[in-house]
Amino acid sequence: MQAALRVSDTFAPATLDNVIALPAKTQSTQATDQSTLMPWGEGQEEGLTRPAPVQPVKPAERSLLRFITCGSVDDGKSTLIGRLLFDSQVLLDDQLAALKKDSAKSAHTDGEIDYSLLLDGLAAEREQGITIDVAYRYFSTPRRAFIVADTPGHEQYTRNMATGASTADLAIILIDARKGVLAQTKRHLQIVSMLGVRHIVLAINKMDLVDHSQARFREIDQAFRQHARDTGFTTLISIPMSAKLGENVRDNAPSMPWYTGPTLLNVLETADVAASASQQSARFVVQWVNRAGADFRGYSGALVSGHLSPGDKVRALPSGQTATVARIVTFNGDLDQAVTGQAPTLVLDRQIDVSRGDVIVADDGTAQASRRFDADLLWMGNAGYDPSRALLLKIGAKSVPVRLDTRDMTVLNITTGARVLGNALNSNDIAQVALEADTAVVAERYADSRELGGFILIDRETSETVALGMVKDVVTAAQAAEPKGEAEDANPATHTRWITKPADTRWRSFAKAVSWRATGSVDTFVLAYIFTGHVKTAAAISVTEIGTKIFLYFFHERLWQWLAIGRQDKGSKD
Amino acid sequence: MTTLSHLAALEAESIHILREATAEATRPVLLYSIGKDSAVLLHLALKAFYPSKPPMPLLHVNTTWKFREMITFRDQRAKEVGMELISHTNQDGIARNIVPFGPTAGIYTDVMKTAALKQALDLHGFDVAFGGARRDEEKSRAKERVVSVRSEAHRWDPKNQRPEPWRLFNTRKQPSQSLRVFPLSNWTEADVWAYIQAENIPVVPLYFAAPRPVVERSGTLLMVDDNRLPLLPGERPQTKVIRFRTLGCYPLTGAVESHAATLPEIVAEMQGARTSERQGRLIDHDGAASMERKKQEGYF
Ligand SMILES: Nc1nc2c(ncn2[C@@H]2O[C@H](COP(=O)(O)OP(=O)(O)OP(=O)(O)O)[C@@H](O)[C@H]2O)c(=O)[nH]1
Ligand SMILES: [Mg+2]
């Protein structure tokens, strides 16, 4: 009770961690259990649990939320978005009239309004009653502006779902209350997690078809949370719904008095989704070398992280040459400072080697170009991966030939959640694999930069996009040269993995000390015996020495681990 | 950290798209239809390549039935920005006297717009064509990618579009294919007007309310722009204060009665509007799938 009250007071969703970390309770305490499981709790007094009415915000100050619907085929995703648009009163008269007309004509309804027709805009979709490709809708309420991508549930169109998910801040995962968690639900869960979506609304839909049963709702909620346990979400909120009847979409449903949490619209209007990418250092992706006349040479591109001002020292990668920013040119005049997201034209103080696809970075040593990296991959080609076909990597504005190194590749088994070694990739497979590009590119961990951490693979022959991927770890030239086992010891938590030198652990230093001592002591014993002729004296010297010198060797070894003298710094330049 | 305003973010995204597709094109072109979306698209192109001029010509598919004020505005604007303007008309259609009313009305769009556009693209060998379409305009547009691949016959295959994650656009194509690129995909009508106001972008005066000669035909107000529009028995042009939310061929474009004569008034009127802008486009009214069909056949 306590926890639920606190959470509802601030209207901040509970975190997944504190939700699933709770000990399991018995049936008799279920009411309390449920109120802690549900961030807003069930069965509480209304005044305490319902969020305060939202205050209108001036259009210019409205924040933007990008969200998607996903889940298995026919779970009601398009219907839900249609209903949300309808209830938010953003539909115009002619759109409503068309909806009524289309619903009457549709073979998939019995004359009732079919809200999914607002989204399923392709003839084939209407004919088959399924979604094939993502529909984007733009709407706003007095509180917030929204871009929603309604994605297809059908497995064949998973790539379209991933397209929609790549830019989402929040995902609504739908489950048909009659069916529960399905394989496709799990696949979508994996994909949104991999793409870095950290806020989930679990919409347990079609409650009207399960007698609005609270027990069924709980059962599915708990099963889903089991699966979501390791997927790294910050918030996960479950809502029982009927998309078709509009229950808990905008308004609370009298048919489910046991649910007193927020409605879907409440959550969407108030979800706090601060940007997660953490890279703060300047990265400017060069898209086009701008030569206006004989005197002007600039680089038009996108500042994907950090900021830049005239006078800043920068380095172009992969060439590694340095320069100073002279001007930041835009159509509306020069800027004193360019901030993340802007797309100006940089003029440097000297001629250096920069072409399309290169990255101009702050000269602070935090970026470098590399050829090899580990990545999460979603294979999207209709045909599976074929090692004989040439692939192109597109990352930032750069396209380079690339090869998959499948020796250590693992492929996710959607049903069991296990990652299995394998070298085959079929359509919709999720894998972890190493990539090796023909030339060095600037890649960063996806967790640090979506812009330089997300990439696509293109089949060079068909020009089709066959995979999307997210960089997990960048392997530098220095590391690539090390024996393989050593490179893998590096701590994946530090994105500057390439700065870390392969170092001995304390344990290893100690083991080395012992093995060296054993050899050394035998040597000492033999020498002492030769010089003194006494077995006993020789044994006493060598045994005493074992203790003292293991001790001395260990500290001597740690001291050298710590000293940098005489080490070759292969990591800093390519 | 500073975050860009909604409009600034949209602008940056569009500029990004314009540059990406242009950088990898052999012969790009900007489809300039003279309306508000084209006005914004042109403005964004000027920004994207500044201080260079956009490295592409403007292409106007001229059906010969555009409002006269549109053509005047077009020529003036092209001169101001200093870009080459190509105007293309399907001469075959002219020879066959395909007009937007009477028996040829049903094939008019196909011949004078779709076929004309394909002719122009083929004639000049354009491999990347930028257009000002927005996803919020229509249900099948809502499904289209920013970079839309077209076959040799300029056909769109909506069931087999390339995945387009983040803003990583795959602009590669087979020699027979071409690309239609839509930098304004994520803009709404409201964004377009807010941006026109914020950036002071010139638009055709027909968007602003003024007294104009109109006839009312099956619930639609048509402007009598010249004497080529045959009047039905009993129809007599009347002067009404009207404006247009969307511009095209005058016999196919409905006006709205309005007194919004300034940008702030237009923005305010739009916020209270109860109908969508496409209400005024007669081309869209023949069935839910008609736009999709036209697009599959190569229409923008
Ligand atoms: N009874 C009931 N039916 C629903 C509800 N929500 C959706 N449906 C029906 O479920 C069917 C599928 O709905 P859609 O919205 O097309 O499902 P979807 O998840 O978008 O399907 P795909 O996009 O093809 O994966 C339709 O017949 C809907 O009318 C609900 O809450 N209750
Ligand atoms: Mg659907």
Side-chain angles (χ1 to χ4, degrees):
Chain A
M1 250 345 198
Q2 205 65 14
L5 281 181
R6 181 177 48 74
V7 172
S8 56
D9 282 346
T10 55
F11 202 62
T15 69
L16 181 62
D17 283 349
N18 66 34
V19 172
I20 60 173
L22 291 165
K25 299 223 176 96
T26 55
Q27 282 297 90
S28 61
T29 58
Q30 208 180 35
T32 345
D33 181 13
Q34 201 60 31
S35 62
T36 14
L37 264 173
M38 292 300 307
W40 281 267
E42 290 175 57
Q44 296 181 34
E45 290 151 66
E46 270 188 32
L48 291 173
T49 50
R50 298 251 161 124
V54 289
Q55 296 301 314
V57 178
K58 277 197 212 123
E61 291 158 19
R62 270 198 295 235
S63 64
L64 174 71
L65 181 80
R66 289 175 182 259
F67 70 98
I68 58 164
T69 51
C70 57
S72 193
V73 67
D74 267 355
D75 284 353
K77 299 174 288 296
S78 306
T79 307
L80 178 62
I81 296 309
R83 184 72 204 208
L84 191 64
L85 295 172
F86 179 81
D87 283 355
S88 323
Q89 291 167 345
V90 296
L91 296 175
L92 302 170
D93 292 347
D94 52 320
Q95 295 168 331
L96 277 173
L99 173 64
K100 291 203 182 105
K101 215 173 80 188
D102 294 347
S103 297
K105 273 198 304 201
S106 167
H108 302 274
T109 61
D110 347 305
E112 307 152 303
I113 297 275
D114 180 355
Y115 296 97
S116 73
L117 294 175
L118 287 167
L119 282 301
D120 291 339
L122 300 176
E125 294 179 325
R126 288 156 172 262
E127 206 174 284
Q128 300 171 41
I130 61 161
T131 304
I132 291 175
D133 213 332
V134 202
Y136 293 92
R137 294 298 299 245
Y138 308 80
F139 70 103
S140 48
T141 64
R143 181 70 183 247
R144 207 172 212 180
F146 300 97
I147 300 181
V148 53
D150 175 41
T151 75
H154 200 292
E155 192 181 334
Q156 187 187 344
Y157 306 116
T158 302
R159 56 170 180 253
N160 297 335
M161 175 270 170
T163 295
S166 66
T167 50
D169 306 311
L170 178 148
I172 304 174
I173 299 186
L174 275 90
I175 292 184
D176 183 331
R178 296 170 303 175
K179 298 185 189 156
V181 179
L182 301 175
Q184 188 67 348
T185 322
K186 294 180 196 166
R187 188 189 308 275
H188 281 185
L189 177 66
Q190 281 299 333
I191 293 172
V192 295
S193 152
M194 204 165 79
L195 285 165
V197 181
R198 292 286 164 260
H199 305 273
I200 298 289
V201 176
L202 179 66
I204 301 179
N205 190 34
K206 307 199 185 180
M207 289 301 291
D208 54 311
L209 300 180
V210 295
D211 297 326
H212 300 100
S213 157
Q214 183 181 14
R216 182 67 184 141
F217 169 72
R218 281 183 191 155
E219 193 186 330
I220 296 172
D221 172 64
Q222 276 164 17
F224 183 84
R225 284 178 194 276
Q226 279 295 324
H227 289 291
R229 204 182 276 273
D230 302 320
T231 35
F233 297 114
T234 322
T235 63
L236 170 56
I237 298 163
S238 304
I239 308 178
M241 270 184 233
S242 168
K244 191 171 171 177
L245 306 178
E247 292 173 339
N248 289 328
V249 177
R250 181 194 60 181
D251 301 321
N252 278 97
S255 55
M256 289 177 275
W258 46 266
Y259 177 78
T260 54
T263 64
L264 177 63
L265 190 60
N266 293 153
V267 175
L268 294 176
E269 286 190 315
T270 52
D272 179 16
V273 290
S276 57
S278 55
Q279 184 56 270
Q280 301 287 313
S281 177
R283 305 281 185 267
F284 183 84
V285 174
V286 176
Q287 295 184 279
W288 196 67
V289 178
N290 197 330
R291 288 205 193 100
D295 304 332
F296 187 90
R297 183 192 175 87
Y299 305 102
S300 300
L303 186 58
V304 299
S305 66
H307 46 78
L308 280 176
S309 297
D312 285 356
K313 276 207 74 181
V314 290
R315 182 182 290 273
L317 292 174
S319 80
Q321 296 174 6
T322 56
T324 300
V325 177
R327 289 174 61 198
I328 301 174
V329 177
T330 78
F331 181 86
N332 302 70
D334 281 14
L335 300 179
D336 293 333
Q337 188 186 51
V339 299
T340 308
Q342 284 182 319
T345 296
L346 296 188
V347 178
L348 303 179
D349 69 336
R350 71 197 77 153
Q351 291 271 344
I352 59 170
D353 176 9
V354 183
S355 47
R356 167 167 164 79
D358 291 355
V359 184
I360 294 174
V361 305
D363 192 19
D364 57 8
T366 58
Q368 77 154 25
S370 53
R371 286 181 48 207
R372 209 181 146 84
F373 47 87
D374 300 327
D376 284 316
L377 209 67
L378 171 65
W379 191 261
M380 305 187 293
N382 288 329
Y385 164 64
D386 174 354
S388 69
R389 294 183 79 89
L391 293 177
L392 271 181
L393 164 76
K394 178 158 186 189
I395 188 163
K398 187 90 146 192
S399 301
V400 294
V402 73
R403 199 178 64 75
L404 300 192
D405 178 351
T406 54
R407 281 175 298 177
D408 291 328
M409 181 167 80
T410 57
V411 181
L412 182 71
N413 179 319
I414 294 292
T415 344
T416 64
R419 292 188 176 270
V420 197
L421 273 174
N423 50 20
L425 274 176
N426 296 312
S427 198
N428 300 328
D429 272 353
I430 294 169
Q432 282 180 3
V433 66
L435 284 91
E436 193 158 301
D438 270 16
T439 58
V441 296
V442 179
E444 306 205 290
R445 294 199 335 143
Y446 185 70
D448 298 331
S449 165
R450 289 204 174 188
E451 297 268 0
L452 288 171
F455 61 86
I456 53 174
L457 299 182
I458 300 167
D459 183 309
R460 293 183 75 178
E461 211 175 292
T462 62
S463 301
E464 292 305 317
T465 306
V466 290
L468 68 78
M470 285 128 293
V471 176
K472 284 176 73 70
D473 235 324
V474 180
V475 185
T476 58
Q479 279 174 323
E482 299 288 343
K484 206 154 170 295
E486 300 253 6
E488 269 170 7
D489 277 342
N491 179 6
T494 45
H495 85 280
T496 47
R497 175 176 152 172
W498 43 272
I499 304 179
T500 329
K501 298 296 168 307
D504 285 345
T505 60
R506 263 183 220 100
W507 183 87
R508 191 178 152 89
S509 296
F510 184 71
K512 276 162 92 175
V514 172
S515 73
W516 170 240
R517 237 21 275 152
T519 324
S521 295
V522 171
D523 180 59
T524 309
F525 175 81
V526 172
L527 287 176
Y529 180 68
I530 290 168
F531 285 113
T532 63
H534 294 288
V535 177
K536 233 176 113 183
T537 312
I541 292 173
S542 53
V543 167
T544 319
E545 186 211 31
I546 291 177
T548 54
K549 292 211 173 144
I550 284 183
F551 186 76
L552 285 174
Y553 181 95
F554 176 80
F555 283 100
H556 181 258
E557 178 77 9
R558 293 317 296 173
L559 179 70
W560 277 100
Q561 276 296 333
W562 182 72
L563 284 176
I565 305 169
R567 269 206 181 116
Q568 245 179 329
D569 189 356
K570 287 180 277 185
S572 65
K573 254 174 217 157
D574 197 17
Chain B
M1 204 182 78
T2 349
T3 41
L4 299 184
S5 76
H6 181 49
L7 275 185
L10 282 173
E11 177 192 82
E13 178 184 83
S14 302
I15 288 176
H16 181 86
I17 296 165
L18 278 156
R19 289 177 184 157
E20 280 298 290
T22 304
E24 300 192 1
T26 314
R27 185 139 164 74
V29 66
L30 193 150
L31 296 183
Y32 183 68
S33 70
I34 322 174
K36 61 184 186 302
D37 303 316
S38 289
V40 168
L41 184 61
L42 172 58
H43 186 76
L44 289 166
L46 294 172
K47 285 194 158 191
F49 303 100
Y50 181 84
S52 297
K53 290 253 179 280
M56 63 192 84
L58 304 174
L59 172 64
H60 176 228
V61 174
N62 193 352
T63 59
T64 72
W65 289 93
K66 301 293 167 188
F67 291 89
R68 285 173 299 162
E69 271 185 88
M70 288 173 73
I71 301 300
T72 316
F73 180 87
R74 177 195 76 177
D75 295 340
Q76 187 188 328
R77 195 72 190 118
K79 205 149 86 196
E80 273 166 19
V81 300
M83 287 167 75
E84 182 195 353
L85 171 75
I86 301 170
S87 174
H88 181 86
T89 302
N90 183 351
Q91 293 306 332
D92 171 55
I94 299 287
R96 286 160 58 201
N97 196 27
I98 309 290
V99 294
F101 41 77
T104 59
I107 57 165
Y108 171 78
T109 300
D110 291 347
V111 176
M112 298 309 288
K113 291 187 181 170
T114 310
L117 174 63
K118 291 196 266 189
Q119 279 172 0
L121 295 178
D122 291 342
L123 181 69
H124 298 274
F126 295 124
D127 63 335
V128 170
F130 292 100
R134 294 177 279 111
R135 286 181 178 145
D136 90 320
E137 282 179 72
E138 203 268 339
K139 281 196 287 283
S140 65
R141 291 248 194 249
K143 297 269 169 181
E144 194 158 16
R145 297 281 187 263
V146 170
V147 173
S148 183
V149 183
R150 301 301 171 100
S151 69
E152 190 159 17
H154 300 271
R155 290 185 70 90
W156 178 50
D157 182 1
K159 283 167 75 177
N160 198 17
Q161 302 194 81
R162 287 178 184 171
E164 197 168 74
W166 305 289
R167 49 176 193 170
L168 278 176
F169 304 107
N170 175 0
T171 50
R172 285 177 71 87
K173 55 192 177 299
Q174 304 297 94
S176 62
Q177 293 173 329
S178 63
L179 301 179
R180 306 282 172 93
V181 180
F182 304 106
L184 303 185
S185 284
N186 289 326
W187 295 57
T188 64
E189 186 189 9
D191 296 329
V192 165
W193 281 116
Y195 189 68
I196 287 172
Q197 190 177 1
E199 294 280 306
N200 210 1
I201 301 171
V203 290
V204 183
L206 290 163
Y207 284 115
F208 301 100
R212 297 184 172 106
V214 290
V215 292
E216 192 172 333
R217 189 173 290 180
S218 31
T220 305
L221 285 177
L222 293 182
M223 179 168 154
V224 187
D225 196 44
D226 56 33
N227 54 16
R228 291 183 295 164
L229 181 71
L231 297 183
L232 301 180
E235 272 182 353
R236 268 198 39 217
Q238 297 168 274
T239 300
K240 287 192 170 167
V241 180
I242 57 151
R243 66 177 206 89
F244 293 86
R245 279 178 80 181
T246 173
L247 289 177
C249 299
Y250 82 82
L252 295 178
T253 308
V256 289
E257 283 190 80
S258 160
H259 287 274
T262 63
L263 282 172
E265 283 166 9
I266 287 176
V267 172
E269 187 182 274
M270 198 184 42
Q271 275 157 3
R274 288 307 310 156
T275 56
S276 72
E277 61 187 307
R278 297 203 82 85
Q279 179 72 357
R281 293 195 199 175
L282 300 183
I283 166 181
D284 296 342
H285 290 201
D286 36 330
S290 73
M291 173 58 87
E292 181 186 345
R293 184 184 59 77
K294 290 191 176 77
K295 280 160 58 64
Q296 285 187 34
E297 288 162 3
Y299 181 68
F300 234 83

